[in-house]
Amino acid sequence: MDTNLSSLSPQFSTTALSAEARALYQAEPDARIRLLQGLRPHICPFGDVMAQIPAGASVLDVGCGAGLFLLLLGRQAHIRDGLGFDVSVPAVEAAQRAAETSGLAETLTFQVRSIEEGMPEGHWNVVTSVDVLHHVPVSQQRSFVESLCERVPRGGRLVIKDMVARPRWRAWANQMHDLVMARQWVHQVGPEEVDGWIQAKGLSRVYRSRINSWWYGHWTLVYDRAS
């Protein structure tokens, strides 16, 4: 389905989330990180993804980057607590600084950790992965998605959002973006293929969306595991 962002709650609007992002990172000493986090809500449909997180959830965010997704959820008191991890030391340090300066350090934790180290143990009932899959090597994409599924407990939820593989011009636009910003040639995978991997692990799809912002194309898939 195509989702109209204007139908989302006001607190999830692009304008509101961009303002929140700028406030969260206003004390960040790295100007590049500060600028990119303020702009990211205009590129990534965070509102659509955030709306799929149950209020009061405990969230494990896989590949959290500079922590913006969890910090936005925490800023709005939408979740009880959360842990995000990422392989990038500078990004995680920025996430930790933002949590401390915004008064969220007691509820949000950020760690430097690689996927190869496995998923951390904890009590989270929602697992999220936002714009990570296309950075994973093609040969490891299915096993990465399956590892997300395995971390979802009974009665829990998986939320995965990534970039479109079709049309090719939108995929190419994202490839150029990541080539410049992350110095990485990425590999998008379509939601239909990912959906097959996840349902084979016993989770049931409860939501899907397709959103275009500027020249970028995004898809989001949400799954629940039966209690």
Side-chain angles (χ1 to χ4, degrees):
M1 73 180 73
D2 289 328
T3 297
N4 181 359
L5 289 179
S6 65
S7 67
L8 297 173
S9 299
Q11 73 267 29
F12 292 150
S13 72
T14 297
T15 300
L17 294 178
S18 181
E20 292 276 14
R22 292 194 300 272
L24 283 163
Y25 295 89
Q26 62 182 344
E28 169 57 42
D30 188 323
R32 182 175 180 272
I33 290 177
R34 191 170 63 246
L35 175 64
L36 291 178
Q37 300 312 303
L39 290 174
R40 198 171 173 213
H42 292 282
I43 298 173
C44 177
F46 278 114
D48 180 55
V49 187
M50 292 172 67
Q52 310 314 312
I53 309 299
S58 292
V59 180
L60 172 65
D61 190 29
V62 180
C64 66
L68 180 57
F69 183 62
L70 279 183
L71 286 160
L72 288 172
L73 288 168
R75 181 90 165 184
Q76 297 187 10
H78 189 70
I79 58 176
R80 182 168 69 249
D81 53 52
L83 182 144
F85 72 90
D86 198 278
V87 70
S88 170
V89 174
V92 170
E93 289 178 345
Q96 292 170 332
R97 285 191 292 268
E100 290 169 1
T101 58
S102 60
L104 295 170
E106 291 188 4
T107 56
L108 300 181
T109 304
F110 298 97
Q111 298 178 354
V112 176
R113 187 185 185 97
S114 68
I115 295 298
E116 289 74 20
E117 294 178 78
M119 299 290 176
E121 295 298 323
H123 60 282
W124 306 282
N125 58 352
V126 176
V127 177
T128 62
S129 181
V130 179
D131 290 339
V132 177
L133 183 58
H134 62 281
H135 291 283
V136 177
V138 173
S139 62
Q140 300 174 29
Q141 287 180 336
R142 179 165 186 166
S143 62
F144 170 74
V145 171
E146 290 175 342
S147 71
L148 297 176
C149 296
E150 290 163 2
R151 195 62 192 79
V152 179
R154 290 185 177 182
R157 173 165 287 193
L158 171 64
V159 180
I160 182 168
K161 182 264 165 206
D162 214 81
M163 311 301 294
V164 299
R166 293 287 186 276
R168 281 301 306 165
W169 73 269
R170 288 193 182 276
W172 179 85
N174 183 63
Q175 284 176 316
M176 294 301 100
H177 173 102
D178 279 312
L179 189 61
V180 172
M181 303 305 296
R183 296 180 176 84
Q184 183 180 8
W185 187 255
V186 297
H187 304 278
Q188 295 95 335
V189 57
E192 297 81 9
E193 190 169 6
V194 176
D195 180 62
W197 299 341
I198 295 174
Q199 297 214 44
K201 297 295 288 185
L203 280 73
S204 300
R205 191 180 72 233
V206 296
Y207 179 81
R208 63 181 178 182
S209 68
R210 161 69 188 267
I211 294 173
N212 296 326
S213 58
W214 295 354
W215 45 85
Y216 303 98
H218 311 266
W219 56 259
T220 297
L221 296 171
V222 182
Y223 300 82
D224 286 345
R225 187 184 293 283
S227 301

